[in-house]
Amino acid sequence: MTTAVSVFEQGGVIAYPTEAVFGLGCDPDNQAAVEKILKIKNRPVEKGLILLAGDYQQLKPYVDESKLPADVKQQMLSRWPNGVTQVVPASSKAKPFLTGQFSTIAIRVTTQADVVALCQQTGKPIVSTSANYSGEEPGKSWQTVEQDLGSAVDFIIKGDTLGFTKPSTIIDALTGETFRS
């Protein structure tokens, strides 16, 4: 039986529910899988990607915590889980195919049960970018994703978003600057 975990571990692309829309994701350490997502979306690698996880521990290997003052880290952690993506200094484990042209990585902790379960079962975060072709509206249901992207993805988690009305806010964890509200 094909499962989200087996697809993740074999380098496949998964469509899954997030807070407001469906995302496309894969193993963040599998360059070929990340490149497949970029190709599906027609998205330039320079833009970078988000990592989504069920808890901060799964994200820590990708973050250079030595560049996060204790008060900033505490404030960052206090914003989760709440549909807030935070841009933080990237560690060497966060490869350029994830960070794009930046020395930072965008990360988020979610309570969406399907994502939490997948991340717990794999012990890793998942790449997160909206499930749509570049310039198109993101899918808000698995049925829409199946119709729009169908054979382009390897597995669709047939769950529900958390019902947020817009994609996550993106802020710089160090400065508080908002990139997307």
Side-chain angles (χ1 to χ4, degrees):
M1 183 172 95
T2 302
T3 65
V5 172
S6 65
V7 169
F8 181 97
E9 291 172 344
Q10 294 164 17
V13 173
I14 300 165
Y16 59 90
T18 68
E19 292 85 1
V21 299
F22 265 66
L24 292 180
C26 65
D27 180 342
D29 299 317
N30 186 322
Q31 184 171 354
V34 172
E35 288 172 352
K36 184 175 177 184
I37 288 176
L38 296 174
K39 185 176 179 184
I40 290 169
K41 288 189 58 85
N42 193 25
R43 180 184 172 97
V45 68
E46 293 79 20
K47 289 180 91 172
L49 294 160
I50 295 170
L51 294 183
L52 183 58
D55 66 60
Y56 179 64
Q57 291 302 114
Q58 296 157 346
L59 295 164
K60 276 179 78 164
Y62 303 89
V63 177
D64 184 348
E65 288 191 315
S66 71
K67 294 182 180 167
L68 283 177
D71 62 324
V72 170
K73 182 179 174 189
Q74 186 170 350
Q75 186 173 28
M76 177 186 82
L77 295 174
S78 75
R79 291 183 183 115
W80 288 326
N82 194 20
V84 176
T85 297
Q86 299 185 74
V87 177
V88 297
S91 73
S92 59
K93 184 168 176 67
K95 301 296 183 210
F97 58 85
L98 295 174
T99 61
Q101 64 184 344
F102 308 102
S103 60
T104 54
I105 184 92
I107 59 174
R108 186 167 81 250
V109 174
T110 188
T111 57
Q112 202 292 330
D114 297 307
V115 176
V116 172
L118 179 62
C119 293
Q120 285 175 338
Q121 291 169 36
T122 62
K124 288 182 158 188
I126 188 168
V127 166
S128 189
T129 184
S130 58
N132 59 295
Y133 295 112
S134 199
E136 302 286 321
E137 279 293 309
K140 294 187 177 179
S141 70
W142 67 263
Q143 294 93 336
T144 303
V145 172
E146 189 171 62
Q147 179 182 335
D148 294 349
L149 298 175
S151 62
V153 299
D154 300 303
F155 192 87
I156 298 174
I157 295 177
K158 295 179 177 178
D160 296 317
T161 68
L162 294 182
F164 287 37
T165 56
K166 58 184 184 173
S168 67
T169 298
I170 301 176
I171 64 170
D172 184 315
L174 290 172
T175 67
E177 178 186 357
T178 301
F179 299 119
R180 178 177 79 191
S181 59

